[in-house]
Amino acid sequence: GQQVMQIPQYQHVQEGEDFTTYCNSSTTLSNIQWYKQRPGGHPVFLIQLVKSGEVKKQKRLTFQFGEAKKNSSLHITATQTTDVGTYFCAVTGGFKTIFGAGTRLFVKA
Amino acid sequence: SQTIHQWPATLVQPVGSPLSLECTVEGTSNPNLYWYRQAAGRGLQLLFYSVGIGQISSEVPQNLSASRPQDRQFILSSKKLLLSDSGFYLCACKQGGGVETQYFGPGTRLLVL
């Protein structure tokens, strides 16, 4: 079945540093979504990318879909303590949504 | 927009006891419904999904089962819990029709002792 590899598994940053998580697939994706899960909470939808090479921004978050639609990235500029949590990429296959393993972000004030 | 209710929020159960977790959805009709389990610090494991009343697809063979008695009700059950059933159980829904966004409920934390 369809799988996505997400790296890194976790990352520690100093507040103000940038952060990037990557999602890779061996097959061409129709779309990719990104979710954020705060510690103790449930995943919350952030964004969906559909077009090849698409770039979308939400304040300090930049989402990118690769030209070949096989990879995606989420970049956070100047992290803040409110950014802590786990970031998941997800791809759809039929009725199912397959989630990456997630990247857990720790931000030190 | 959709609202998903799950209860209970936390649950401590002895090994061998039965389980019933309920999920209800508001604000949508004919949704696709999903049960995920998340171990501490880990990713989301898809357990079951349903595209309609009475229709259940199982992703992982185990001692859990799911049922969908009504359009917006999804139940996760077990006759006899195992220690390995401990985890964070999340119910999610997706509208379908090309809309891929999944909305998650608040989850149930289950500890089997």
Side-chain angles (χ1 to χ4, degrees), chain A residues 88 99-102, chain B residues 37-39 41-45:
Chain A
F88 293 97
F99 286 81
Chain B
R37 177 170 60 202
Q38 186 176 35
R42 305 296 295 274
L44 298 166
Q45 179 187 29

Side-chain angles (χ1 to χ4, degrees), chain A residues 28-83:
Chain A
T28 302
L29 304 171
S30 58
N31 60 72
I32 193 163
Q33 302 113 52
W34 286 93
Y35 293 77
K36 176 184 178 181
Q37 184 177 24
R38 294 181 184 274
H42 58 276
V44 174
F45 174 78
L46 294 177
I47 209 160
Q48 176 171 280
L49 305 173
V50 179
K51 300 177 182 177
S52 168
E54 187 171 16
V55 178
K56 288 188 176 180
K57 292 190 175 184
Q58 291 179 351
K59 298 182 180 179
R60 294 177 294 102
L61 277 61
T62 301
F63 305 84
Q64 189 166 5
F65 204 6
E67 293 289 343
K69 299 182 73 174
K70 291 185 176 181
N71 57 76
S72 180
S73 64
L74 159 58
H75 180 82
I76 301 178
T77 303
T79 55
Q80 300 175 359
T81 55
T82 54
D83 295 326

Side-chain angles (χ1 to χ4, degrees), chain A residues 31 33 35 37 40-45 48 88 92 94-97 99-101 104, chain B residues 32 34 36 38 42-44 46 49 51 59 88 90 94 100-102 104-106 109:
Chain A
N31 60 72
Q33 302 113 52
Y35 293 77
Q37 184 177 24
H42 58 276
V44 174
F45 174 78
Q48 176 171 280
F88 293 97
T92 52
F95 295 110
K96 298 186 290 185
T97 297
F99 286 81
R104 190 166 182 182
Chain B
N32 296 335
Y34 304 83
Y36 292 90
Q38 186 176 35
R42 305 296 295 274
L44 298 166
L46 178 62
Y49 67 94
V51 300
E59 286 297 295
F88 188 35
L90 290 156
K94 186 166 70 171
E100 303 298 345
T101 305
Q102 286 213 342
F104 286 83
R109 295 195 183 279

Side-chain angles (χ1 to χ4, degrees), chain B residues 81-109:
Chain B
L81 284 169
L82 306 173
L83 289 174
S84 57
D85 291 324
S86 296
F88 188 35
Y89 288 83
L90 290 156
C91 177
C93 80
K94 186 166 70 171
Q95 181 55 51
V99 179
E100 303 298 345
T101 305
Q102 286 213 342
Y103 296 92
F104 286 83
T108 295
R109 295 195 183 279

Side-chain angles (χ1 to χ4, degrees), chain B residues 21-41:
Chain B
L21 301 181
E22 188 162 345
C23 169
T24 58
V25 181
E26 293 179 359
T28 186
S29 58
N30 303 315
N32 296 335
L33 297 176
Y34 304 83
W35 278 111
Y36 292 90
R37 177 170 60 202
Q38 186 176 35

